[in-house]
Amino acid sequence: MNELTGPIHVVGAGLLGTSVGLAAARAGLEVWLSDTNHEHVRTASGLGAGRQAPEDGVAQVTVVAVPPDHIAALVVEALERGGVVTDVGSVKSLPLTQVSDHVEEDLLACYVGSHPMAGSERSGPLAASAALFDGRPWAITPHTHSSPEAVELVEALAQLCGAEPVRLSPVEHDRAVARTSHLPHLLAVLTAGQLAEAQPEHLSLSGQGVRDVTRIAAGDPDMWGQIIRANNAAVSELLRDVQVDLERLVEVLASGDEERLEDILTRGVTGTRAIPGKHGGPAIATASVFVSVPDHPGELARLFADVGDIGVNIEDLHIDHDPGRPVGLVELVVEDTSAEGLRVALETREWVTHR
């Protein structure tokens, strides 16, 4: 097996690129950085993610971390410089096709697409972290011409960054992210769009549910437009399936068929249970404990300390701010067998809980 020794050349010093640089530098590898925005390179270098790429250097592995519309051209440039090349874009089939149209088979053997399943609502190098990929899946998507040595080096890079490599074909990858990322984003966008012209008195009733459903709709429209266009075929197929489901739901509501409506709602519950649990394991049964928390410094820390003292692990957490009162409603998601005991124990510590 080829050993990953560096240098690593990161093209695009944004959130993902700088995070790769920080993780590689943490492991002791030399990292080169380049970006059309020189301030990004300066900032990423200041954070310890690497140094400005030399003009004539050849990296062992080049990581292209740029918006989807620019991936293919920069992958071709990197392949022509030499070394193994990967990109971390969220769509794999289209860039592969575009790259294949511009390089010979011997160079194409050095290209292996990849996609770390990690990110942040923030962007830019200041949002980067060496720990961004720790424990996260990192899709490795070799094509028919990828050399085994190139695949091994890209997988080694993912592991070096703390991620868990998952090997998929480019087509399989694009179908998977269409279902788990791109479709949910578009449905959140459509739901949020219904709020744009809503009357203020209607919006005043907004609770945590609508915030949860629409949160991801706030993503950058330009970036998401590039992603959706690049994965058009897989996303369109799923949207047609959703269209059939919507038509069925409208028909059920018009008919007043209670049993069929319950079947549709139950299928949604089944889908949520299909999502893997922590660390990729099976989902565990959970329950929510709702706690009123005063909006004062230190109150959340006091709540978490009390939960720790009680000996219950928090599986997930949500905060719903009450606009009418100086309190927030904190939802503590715990194993269902621990919920009632936690609720009682918190009440003995003078926390106000809700069922």
Side-chain angles (χ1 to χ4, degrees):
M1 176 178 176
N2 285 357
E3 183 180 357
L4 182 63
T5 58
I8 306 296
H9 183 187
V10 176
V11 180
L15 166 66
L16 291 181
T18 302
S19 295
V20 170
L22 289 168
R26 175 183 63 183
L29 271 62
E30 181 178 6
V31 181
W32 301 339
L33 303 169
S34 59
D35 196 299
T36 55
N37 185 330
H38 299 299
E39 282 299 306
H40 279 188
V41 172
R42 186 180 68 83
T43 301
S45 297
L47 293 171
R51 64 180 179 89
Q52 175 72 50
E55 291 291 334
D56 56 355
V58 177
Q60 184 187 26
V61 178
T62 297
V63 181
V64 175
V66 299
D69 284 357
H70 305 286
I71 287 174
L74 290 172
V75 167
V76 170
E77 285 183 19
L79 288 170
E80 291 173 345
R81 282 195 301 269
V84 169
V85 180
T86 189
D87 73 278
V88 293
S90 58
V91 178
K92 307 286 35 139
S93 297
L94 182 60
L96 173 60
T97 299
Q98 293 170 331
V99 170
S100 300
D101 289 341
H102 290 88
V103 299
E104 298 298 325
E105 193 172 299
D106 60 334
L107 283 184
L108 194 60
C110 297
Y111 171 52
V112 181
S114 70
H115 180 203
M117 305 305 294
S120 167
E121 294 175 11
R122 299 167 60 209
S123 61
L126 287 174
S129 167
L132 183 69
F133 311 109
D134 286 355
R136 302 295 301 168
W138 188 316
I140 311 297
T141 60
H143 53 87
T144 54
H145 300 296
S146 295
S147 73
E149 295 78 13
V151 177
E152 287 177 356
L153 281 177
V154 174
E155 288 188 335
L157 175 65
Q159 292 171 330
L160 181 85
C161 291
E164 299 291 336
V166 179
R167 198 177 292 195
L168 298 167
S169 74
V171 171
E172 286 175 323
H173 168 274
D174 289 354
R175 287 174 177 164
V177 294
R179 188 177 301 277
T180 61
S181 176
H182 305 166
L183 178 66
H185 186 88
L186 288 177
L187 296 182
V189 165
L190 294 178
T191 302
Q194 292 294 316
L195 306 175
E197 305 299 328
Q199 298 177 35
E201 56 269 28
H202 292 180
L203 295 176
S204 68
L205 301 180
S206 299
Q208 193 59 36
V210 72
R211 293 186 180 93
D212 288 344
V213 171
T214 60
R215 178 183 58 81
I216 57 175
D220 178 25
D222 177 60
M223 177 69 72
W224 272 99
Q226 293 182 43
I227 292 170
I228 299 301
R229 289 195 302 272
N231 205 19
N232 175 44
V235 172
S236 295
E237 181 179 349
L238 286 170
L239 283 173
R240 283 189 286 271
D241 291 341
V242 172
Q243 184 177 24
V244 171
D245 287 342
L246 283 173
E247 291 172 351
R248 183 181 299 116
L249 177 57
V250 170
E251 176 190 330
V252 167
L253 292 176
S255 68
D257 190 326
E258 296 180 10
E259 184 175 343
R260 290 178 66 197
L261 176 58
E262 185 172 340
D263 287 344
I264 291 173
L265 296 173
T266 300
R267 186 165 180 259
V269 173
T270 302
T272 63
R273 291 175 177 169
I275 300 171
K278 291 192 307 183
H279 317 303
I284 63 173
T286 60
S288 295
V289 176
F290 296 91
V291 186
S292 291
V293 178
D295 191 8
H296 304 308
E299 292 297 318
L300 269 177
R302 183 168 69 90
L303 174 62
F304 295 155
D306 281 349
V307 174
D309 287 344
I310 294 166
V312 173
N313 187 55
I314 299 174
E315 304 293 334
D316 205 349
L317 172 75
H318 307 283
I319 302 177
D320 185 3
H321 296 284
D322 188 337
R325 297 189 299 157
V327 299
L329 189 65
V330 175
E331 179 184 359
L332 303 173
V333 182
V334 300
E335 286 196 47
D336 60 350
T337 56
S338 302
E340 186 58 29
L342 175 61
R343 187 179 295 111
V344 171
L346 287 173
E347 289 172 352
T348 64
R349 297 178 184 227
E350 299 186 348
W351 289 101
V352 177
T353 68
H354 305 269
R355 284 171 169 76

PDB file of all heavy atoms in Angstrom, residues 203-224:
ATOM      1  N   LEU A 203     -47.366  34.218  11.461  1.00  0.00           N
ATOM      2  CA  LEU A 203     -45.985  33.876  11.787  1.00  0.00           C
ATOM      3  C   LEU A 203     -45.713  33.966  13.284  1.00  0.00           C
ATOM      4  O   LEU A 203     -44.787  33.320  13.795  1.00  0.00           O
ATOM      5  CB  LEU A 203     -45.020  34.790  11.031  1.00  0.00           C
ATOM      6  CG  LEU A 203     -45.037  34.632   9.500  1.00  0.00           C
ATOM      7  CD1 LEU A 203     -44.123  35.649   8.855  1.00  0.00           C
ATOM      8  CD2 LEU A 203     -44.622  33.222   9.094  1.00  0.00           C
ATOM      9  N   SER A 204     -46.507  34.748  13.996  1.00  0.00           N
ATOM     10  CA  SER A 204     -46.303  34.870  15.436  1.00  0.00           C
ATOM     11  C   SER A 204     -46.568  33.553  16.164  1.00  0.00           C
ATOM     12  O   SER A 204     -46.174  33.379  17.314  1.00  0.00           O
ATOM     13  CB  SER A 204     -47.207  35.970  16.021  1.00  0.00           C
ATOM     14  OG  SER A 204     -48.579  35.584  15.951  1.00  0.00           O
ATOM     15  N   LEU A 205     -47.242  32.637  15.489  1.00  0.00           N
ATOM     16  CA  LEU A 205     -47.512  31.327  16.081  1.00  0.00           C
ATOM     17  C   LEU A 205     -46.403  30.307  15.798  1.00  0.00           C
ATOM     18  O   LEU A 205     -46.510  29.143  16.174  1.00  0.00           O
ATOM     19  CB  LEU A 205     -48.841  30.778  15.554  1.00  0.00           C
ATOM     20  CG  LEU A 205     -50.088  31.639  15.817  1.00  0.00           C
ATOM     21  CD1 LEU A 205     -51.323  30.963  15.244  1.00  0.00           C
ATOM     22  CD2 LEU A 205     -50.261  31.888  17.310  1.00  0.00           C
ATOM     23  N   SER A 206     -45.341  30.745  15.143  1.00  0.00           N
ATOM     24  CA  SER A 206     -44.259  29.826  14.778  1.00  0.00           C
ATOM     25  C   SER A 206     -43.636  29.194  16.007  1.00  0.00           C
ATOM     26  O   SER A 206     -43.317  29.884  16.980  1.00  0.00           O
ATOM     27  CB  SER A 206     -43.167  30.576  14.001  1.00  0.00           C
ATOM     28  OG  SER A 206     -43.681  31.116  12.805  1.00  0.00           O
ATOM     29  N   GLY A 207     -43.473  27.880  15.956  1.00  0.00           N
ATOM     30  CA  GLY A 207     -42.821  27.143  17.033  1.00  0.00           C
ATOM     31  C   GLY A 207     -41.570  26.461  16.536  1.00  0.00           C
ATOM     32  O   GLY A 207     -41.108  26.705  15.411  1.00  0.00           O
ATOM     33  N   GLN A 208     -41.020  25.578  17.349  1.00  0.00           N
ATOM     34  CA  GLN A 208     -39.774  24.916  16.990  1.00  0.00           C
ATOM     35  C   GLN A 208     -39.950  23.995  15.784  1.00  0.00           C
ATOM     36  O   GLN A 208     -39.007  23.789  15.019  1.00  0.00           O
ATOM     37  CB  GLN A 208     -39.239  24.116  18.177  1.00  0.00           C
ATOM     38  CG  GLN A 208     -37.798  23.648  18.004  1.00  0.00           C
ATOM     39  CD  GLN A 208     -36.832  24.807  17.803  1.00  0.00           C
ATOM     40  OE1 GLN A 208     -37.008  25.868  18.403  1.00  0.00           O
ATOM     41  NE2 GLN A 208     -35.849  24.620  16.947  1.00  0.00           N
ATOM     42  N   GLY A 209     -41.165  23.472  15.596  1.00  0.00           N
ATOM     43  CA  GLY A 209     -41.392  22.561  14.476  1.00  0.00           C
ATOM     44  C   GLY A 209     -41.084  23.213  13.138  1.00  0.00           C
ATOM     45  O   GLY A 209     -40.359  22.649  12.308  1.00  0.00           O
ATOM     46  N   VAL A 210     -41.609  24.399  12.914  1.00  0.00           N
ATOM     47  CA  VAL A 210     -41.386  25.062  11.628  1.00  0.00           C
ATOM     48  C   VAL A 210     -39.928  25.484  11.497  1.00  0.00           C
ATOM     49  O   VAL A 210     -39.356  25.474  10.399  1.00  0.00           O
ATOM     50  CB  VAL A 210     -42.348  26.261  11.443  1.00  0.00           C
ATOM     51  CG1 VAL A 210     -41.979  27.432  12.344  1.00  0.00           C
ATOM     52  CG2 VAL A 210     -42.367  26.711   9.982  1.00  0.00           C
ATOM     53  N   ARG A 211     -39.289  25.816  12.612  1.00  0.00           N
ATOM     54  CA  ARG A 211     -37.863  26.160  12.547  1.00  0.00           C
ATOM     55  C   ARG A 211     -37.031  24.938  12.173  1.00  0.00           C
ATOM     56  O   ARG A 211     -36.080  25.033  11.398  1.00  0.00           O
ATOM     57  CB  ARG A 211     -37.399  26.745  13.881  1.00  0.00           C
ATOM     58  CG  ARG A 211     -38.027  28.101  14.210  1.00  0.00           C
ATOM     59  CD  ARG A 211     -37.417  28.710  15.482  1.00  0.00           C
ATOM     60  NE  ARG A 211     -38.016  29.999  15.790  1.00  0.00           N
ATOM     61  CZ  ARG A 211     -39.048  30.182  16.594  1.00  0.00           C
ATOM     62  NH1 ARG A 211     -39.603  29.129  17.199  1.00  0.00           N
ATOM     63  NH2 ARG A 211     -39.543  31.383  16.822  1.00  0.00           N
ATOM     64  N   ASP A 212     -37.373  23.785  12.748  1.00  0.00           N
ATOM     65  CA  ASP A 212     -36.643  22.554  12.430  1.00  0.00           C
ATOM     66  C   ASP A 212     -36.778  22.204  10.951  1.00  0.00           C
ATOM     67  O   ASP A 212     -35.792  21.835  10.302  1.00  0.00           O
ATOM     68  CB  ASP A 212     -37.167  21.393  13.276  1.00  0.00           C
ATOM     69  CG  ASP A 212     -36.758  21.494  14.739  1.00  0.00           C
ATOM     70  OD1 ASP A 212     -35.837  22.268  15.048  1.00  0.00           O
ATOM     71  OD2 ASP A 212     -37.383  20.811  15.578  1.00  0.00           O
ATOM     72  N   VAL A 213     -37.997  22.313  10.438  1.00  0.00           N
ATOM     73  CA  VAL A 213     -38.248  21.903   9.055  1.00  0.00           C
ATOM     74  C   VAL A 213     -37.599  22.848   8.056  1.00  0.00           C
ATOM     75  O   VAL A 213     -37.140  22.419   6.998  1.00  0.00           O
ATOM     76  CB  VAL A 213     -39.770  21.814   8.803  1.00  0.00           C
ATOM     77  CG1 VAL A 213     -40.066  21.616   7.321  1.00  0.00           C
ATOM     78  CG2 VAL A 213     -40.375  20.670   9.612  1.00  0.00           C
ATOM     79  N   THR A 214     -37.509  24.130   8.381  1.00  0.00           N
ATOM     80  CA  THR A 214     -37.040  25.119   7.405  1.00  0.00           C
ATOM     81  C   THR A 214     -35.601  25.562   7.609  1.00  0.00           C
ATOM     82  O   THR A 214     -35.074  26.317   6.801  1.00  0.00           O
ATOM     83  CB  THR A 214     -37.937  26.375   7.453  1.00  0.00           C
ATOM     84  OG1 THR A 214     -37.879  26.948   8.774  1.00  0.00           O
ATOM     85  CG2 THR A 214     -39.372  26.026   7.113  1.00  0.00           C
ATOM     86  N   ARG A 215     -34.936  25.089   8.653  1.00  0.00           N
ATOM     87  CA  ARG A 215     -33.591  25.588   8.970  1.00  0.00           C
ATOM     88  C   ARG A 215     -32.641  25.498   7.783  1.00  0.00           C
ATOM     89  O   ARG A 215     -31.947  26.455   7.442  1.00  0.00           O
ATOM     90  CB  ARG A 215     -33.014  24.802  10.162  1.00  0.00           C
ATOM     91  CG  ARG A 215     -31.594  25.206  10.543  1.00  0.00           C
ATOM     92  CD  ARG A 215     -31.064  24.336  11.673  1.00  0.00           C
ATOM     93  NE  ARG A 215     -31.076  22.927  11.341  1.00  0.00           N
ATOM     94  CZ  ARG A 215     -30.138  22.318  10.615  1.00  0.00           C
ATOM     95  NH1 ARG A 215     -29.119  23.005  10.135  1.00  0.00           N
ATOM     96  NH2 ARG A 215     -30.218  21.020  10.362  1.00  0.00           N
ATOM     97  N   ILE A 216     -32.590  24.352   7.118  1.00  0.00           N
ATOM     98  CA  ILE A 216     -31.616  24.180   6.043  1.00  0.00           C
ATOM     99  C   ILE A 216     -31.970  24.980   4.800  1.00  0.00           C
ATOM    100  O   ILE A 216     -31.129  25.154   3.913  1.00  0.00           O
ATOM    101  CB  ILE A 216     -31.444  22.692   5.675  1.00  0.00           C
ATOM    102  CG1 ILE A 216     -32.782  22.076   5.266  1.00  0.00           C
ATOM    103  CG2 ILE A 216     -30.836  21.918   6.833  1.00  0.00           C
ATOM    104  CD1 ILE A 216     -32.649  20.639   4.773  1.00  0.00           C
ATOM    105  N   ALA A 217     -33.204  25.504   4.715  1.00  0.00           N
ATOM    106  CA  ALA A 217     -33.590  26.312   3.560  1.00  0.00           C
ATOM    107  C   ALA A 217     -32.822  27.620   3.504  1.00  0.00           C
ATOM    108  O   ALA A 217     -32.832  28.306   2.474  1.00  0.00           O
ATOM    109  CB  ALA A 217     -35.091  26.600   3.584  1.00  0.00           C
ATOM    110  N   ALA A 218     -32.146  27.988   4.579  1.00  0.00           N
ATOM    111  CA  ALA A 218     -31.390  29.240   4.617  1.00  0.00           C
ATOM    112  C   ALA A 218     -30.025  29.116   3.954  1.00  0.00           C
ATOM    113  O   ALA A 218     -29.244  30.072   3.949  1.00  0.00           O
ATOM    114  CB  ALA A 218     -31.221  29.699   6.067  1.00  0.00           C
ATOM    115  N   GLY A 219     -29.712  27.952   3.375  1.00  0.00           N
ATOM    116  CA  GLY A 219     -28.421  27.771   2.701  1.00  0.00           C
ATOM    117  C   GLY A 219     -28.262  28.695   1.515  1.00  0.00           C
ATOM    118  O   GLY A 219     -29.241  29.154   0.911  1.00  0.00           O
ATOM    119  N   ASP A 220     -27.014  28.964   1.145  1.00  0.00           N
ATOM    120  CA  ASP A 220     -26.681  29.876   0.046  1.00  0.00           C
ATOM    121  C   ASP A 220     -27.353  29.429  -1.258  1.00  0.00           C
ATOM    122  O   ASP A 220     -27.050  28.346  -1.770  1.00  0.00           O
ATOM    123  CB  ASP A 220     -25.165  29.897  -0.127  1.00  0.00           C
ATOM    124  CG  ASP A 220     -24.726  30.778  -1.286  1.00  0.00           C
ATOM    125  OD1 ASP A 220     -25.461  31.698  -1.651  1.00  0.00           O
ATOM    126  OD2 ASP A 220     -23.631  30.520  -1.833  1.00  0.00           O
ATOM    127  N   PRO A 221     -28.255  30.243  -1.832  1.00  0.00           N
ATOM    128  CA  PRO A 221     -28.962  29.824  -3.059  1.00  0.00           C
ATOM    129  C   PRO A 221     -28.036  29.564  -4.235  1.00  0.00           C
ATOM    130  O   PRO A 221     -28.298  28.663  -5.040  1.00  0.00           O
ATOM    131  CB  PRO A 221     -29.905  31.010  -3.338  1.00  0.00           C
ATOM    132  CG  PRO A 221     -30.091  31.675  -2.018  1.00  0.00           C
ATOM    133  CD  PRO A 221     -28.768  31.522  -1.310  1.00  0.00           C
ATOM    134  N   ASP A 222     -26.969  30.342  -4.361  1.00  0.00           N
ATOM    135  CA  ASP A 222     -26.050  30.135  -5.480  1.00  0.00           C
ATOM    136  C   ASP A 222     -25.364  28.777  -5.366  1.00  0.00           C
ATOM    137  O   ASP A 222     -25.330  28.001  -6.328  1.00  0.00           O
ATOM    138  CB  ASP A 222     -25.007  31.255  -5.526  1.00  0.00           C
ATOM    139  CG  ASP A 222     -23.997  31.039  -6.639  1.00  0.00           C
ATOM    140  OD1 ASP A 222     -24.409  30.975  -7.813  1.00  0.00           O
ATOM    141  OD2 ASP A 222     -22.788  30.904  -6.345  1.00  0.00           O
ATOM    142  N   MET A 223     -24.849  28.476  -4.186  1.00  0.00           N
ATOM    143  CA  MET A 223     -24.181  27.193  -3.984  1.00  0.00           C
ATOM    144  C   MET A 223     -25.147  26.030  -4.176  1.00  0.00           C
ATOM    145  O   MET A 223     -24.834  25.052  -4.872  1.00  0.00           O
ATOM    146  CB  MET A 223     -23.575  27.140  -2.569  1.00  0.00           C
ATOM    147  CG  MET A 223     -22.920  25.819  -2.222  1.00  0.00           C
ATOM    148  SD  MET A 223     -21.421  25.521  -3.167  1.00  0.00           S
ATOM    149  CE  MET A 223     -20.330  26.716  -2.367  1.00  0.00           C
ATOM    150  N   TRP A 224     -26.336  26.139  -3.575  1.00  0.00           N
ATOM    151  CA  TRP A 224     -27.291  25.043  -3.687  1.00  0.00           C
ATOM    152  C   TRP A 224     -27.825  24.912  -5.111  1.00  0.00           C
ATOM    153  O   TRP A 224     -28.136  23.799  -5.568  1.00  0.00           O
ATOM    154  CB  TRP A 224     -28.426  25.211  -2.682  1.00  0.00           C
ATOM    155  CG  TRP A 224     -28.057  24.579  -1.383  1.00  0.00           C
ATOM    156  CD1 TRP A 224     -27.572  25.186  -0.275  1.00  0.00           C
ATOM    157  CD2 TRP A 224     -28.093  23.184  -1.087  1.00  0.00           C
ATOM    158  NE1 TRP A 224     -27.305  24.265   0.705  1.00  0.00           N
ATOM    159  CE2 TRP A 224     -27.609  23.033   0.242  1.00  0.00           C
ATOM    160  CE3 TRP A 224     -28.476  22.058  -1.795  1.00  0.00           C
ATOM    161  CZ2 TRP A 224     -27.515  21.784   0.850  1.00  0.00           C
ATOM    162  CZ3 TRP A 224     -28.373  20.827  -1.183  1.00  0.00           C
ATOM    163  CH2 TRP A 224     -27.903  20.692   0.120  1.00  0.00           C
TER     164      TRP A 224
END
